[in-house]
Amino acid sequence: MIYLDNAATTKPDSRAFSRAQEYLTEKWQNPSGLYREGFSLQGELKKARSFLLSRIADESAYTLVFTSCGTESDNQSMFGYGRRGNVVTTAGEHAAILSSVTELKNRGIAEVRFAPLNPDGSVDERALLSLVDEKTSLVSVIHVNNETGAINDVNALARAVKEKNPRVVFHSDGVQAYGKIPFRLGKEIDLYSVSAHKIGGLKGTGALVRRKSLPVRPYIFGGGQESGERSGTENLFGIKMFEYAAEEKFRTLAEDYQRLGKVREEFWERLDRESFVRISSRDSSPYILSISAPGLRGEVLLHMADDRGLIVGTGSACSSNAKNRYSRVILACGKDERTADGVLRLSFSPSTTAKELSQASSIFNQIARELRERMG
């Protein structure tokens, strides 16, 4: 099997699992317990929190609260800080942001404004800034687009937004960026969402990075865990797995970034230009390549590839149950429905090899020819 749907989820890292296993079988007690074992586990939580945060931010200025996933982190940001006036975001956001801001609008809490996209899926920066005014309470811009891999310069955008309205809370969904692209949070970013299972951790574990000077606004209430920021007994096994998986990722982050960029371009060069067009730009994340076979159904190609042992996606897995036939993000990039219908998203991991991509390109070329021949 060749697995190229890593933007949806990654295989759990075996070394991280081996290290974290003791928190499932031996050190399984409640980290919030007042007994000796619980107090010891609080120290393990602190170590994980410090490591995960220190990779991208200044610990003196930011803190990190553990959540169940990137979606929860996004929801906490939108419902916690989108409280008045208007909320500005982009047409290329993950469904966790789109659905949340739509709910803010439906509840009459805030007006929602969407900035258009460039052809590669990045946000039109000038258009975004034009939507920010004195009544804007929250701006959310995805760091790496989960369908095209386009990288938004969220540090520069946050600075520009704060220059226009210093009271704005700036959030970024960093789920496809954390542990994958070289980056550190600039001081103008207030909130940043991350997820474990995108980098070899477990599903059910995520985190929200928050600037310390920003008021705490919990989304889940209960026992007051996570210093009152997110109630619920901490998933210590998942959190330690997140920490250890991140250690593996950050150790080779720069090398992986360069290598995957090269093998991605080699893969693209092998594809039949009569069948495929490219949507992702060359300066997008090397972990994602979005292509299209105009006139063919991406879903049909996906199943044909699956029959040959190649697993890919057609876009965001979190939007796979949507009623619309075409990806809203791809349409927002200015692509026509014929192109949007044929979209395939290939997403890589550090374990993806050049040999696998060579085999994948052959499979794609073959199934595209077969399908076009069937269609006459």
Side-chain angles (χ1 to χ4, degrees):
M1 178 187 75
I2 301 174
Y3 182 75
L4 299 180
D5 197 24
N6 291 278
T9 195
T10 57
K11 180 180 180 180
D13 186 279
S14 59
R15 287 168 294 191
F17 177 78
S18 295
R19 293 176 65 190
Q21 196 169 6
E22 64 176 319
Y23 297 96
L24 186 64
T25 59
E26 299 174 24
K27 301 178 180 180
W28 46 262
Q29 297 88 356
N30 187 350
S32 297
L34 298 179
Y35 40 81
R36 182 175 63 253
E37 291 81 0
F39 184 77
S40 175
L41 295 181
Q42 275 293 325
E44 293 300 320
L45 274 177
K46 184 178 180 180
K47 286 171 56 179
R49 194 187 319 276
S50 176
F51 178 83
L52 292 166
L53 180 60
S54 66
R55 299 306 94 183
I56 62 166
D58 179 357
E59 291 185 81
S60 67
Y62 288 89
T63 186
L64 180 149
V65 56
F66 289 109
T67 65
S68 65
C69 56
T71 292
E72 183 190 326
S73 299
D74 285 347
N75 273 249
Q76 180 169 349
S77 301
M78 297 304 100
F79 290 108
Y81 299 91
R83 294 193 160 200
R84 56 178 172 75
N86 64 74
V87 171
V88 176
T89 187
T90 84
E93 297 301 304
H94 186 274
I97 296 295
L98 175 68
S99 298
S100 296
V101 297
T102 299
E103 186 63 19
L104 287 176
K105 176 184 176 181
N106 291 341
R107 294 181 186 181
I109 295 173
E111 174 195 356
V112 180
R113 300 173 178 177
F114 294 95
L117 303 182
N118 296 314
D120 68 344
S122 60
V123 65
D124 182 325
E125 297 181 9
R126 182 174 298 181
L128 178 86
L129 291 174
S130 72
L131 298 177
V132 177
D133 58 27
E134 69 280 359
K135 293 184 179 180
T136 303
S137 59
L138 175 68
V139 172
S140 184
V141 178
I142 195 167
H143 194 174
V144 172
N145 187 284
N146 56 297
E147 294 196 37
T148 71
I151 302 174
N152 288 307
D153 188 346
V154 291
N155 277 335
L157 279 169
R159 284 194 299 270
V161 166
K162 293 293 182 77
E163 286 175 2
K164 194 167 184 181
N165 182 348
R167 297 187 303 277
V168 168
V169 173
F170 191 97
H171 166 265
S172 181
D173 180 328
V175 166
Q176 296 292 347
Y178 185 83
K180 297 181 178 182
I181 69 172
F183 172 78
R184 288 191 69 82
L185 292 179
K187 62 181 181 180
E188 290 83 8
I189 293 180
D190 299 295
L191 300 161
Y192 193 76
S193 302
V194 299
S195 178
H197 76 103
K198 306 295 187 179
I199 60 166
L202 297 179
K203 302 172 188 69
T205 312
L208 178 62
V209 176
R210 177 181 60 82
R211 185 166 52 81
K212 288 182 177 179
S213 59
L214 191 70
V216 175
R217 288 179 178 168
Y219 179 62
I220 294 180
F221 295 84
Q225 290 86 355
E226 290 295 284
S227 300
E229 293 192 53
R230 198 275 185 183
S231 292
T233 303
E234 297 93 343
N235 175 11
L236 186 58
F237 171 58
I239 289 169
K240 296 302 285 187
M241 180 80 176
F242 192 4
E243 175 192 358
Y244 298 147
E247 281 188 22
E248 299 292 339
K249 289 290 290 184
F250 279 96
R251 184 178 296 117
T252 59
L253 186 150
E255 296 90 331
D256 292 337
Y257 189 87
Q258 295 297 324
R259 183 183 67 82
L260 287 175
K262 292 179 180 178
V263 297
R264 181 190 66 174
E265 295 308 312
E266 291 171 0
F267 168 82
W268 169 245
E269 291 302 320
R270 292 190 181 98
L271 286 184
D272 183 357
R273 295 298 192 276
E274 293 185 3
S275 295
F276 297 98
V277 297
R278 181 171 180 160
I279 296 173
S280 299
S281 66
R282 288 183 177 272
D283 58 358
S284 64
S285 167
Y287 284 82
I288 296 175
L289 176 64
S290 184
I291 61 175
S292 174
L296 304 180
R297 289 290 305 276
E299 185 176 350
V300 174
L301 291 169
L302 179 151
H303 291 301
M304 292 177 69
D306 194 10
D307 290 340
R308 290 162 170 80
L310 171 60
I311 297 177
V312 297
T314 56
S316 172
C318 294
S319 298
S320 61
N321 295 321
K323 295 180 181 179
N324 294 333
R325 174 169 171 173
Y326 311 110
S327 163
R328 60 178 173 80
V329 173
I330 299 302
L331 292 178
C333 292
K335 310 306 179 186
D336 58 28
E337 292 184 349
R338 186 170 180 270
T339 300
D341 203 22
V343 166
L344 292 165
R345 181 187 69 178
L346 291 77
S347 47
F348 318 119
S349 79
S351 63
T352 302
T353 66
K355 181 179 179 180
E356 287 179 322
L357 292 182
S358 177
Q359 293 173 339
S361 63
S362 296
I363 292 172
F364 275 131
N365 288 336
Q366 181 181 5
I367 62 178
R369 285 195 297 270
E370 290 178 7
L371 193 53
R372 291 192 189 281
E373 288 173 1
R374 290 182 198 173
M375 297 173 62

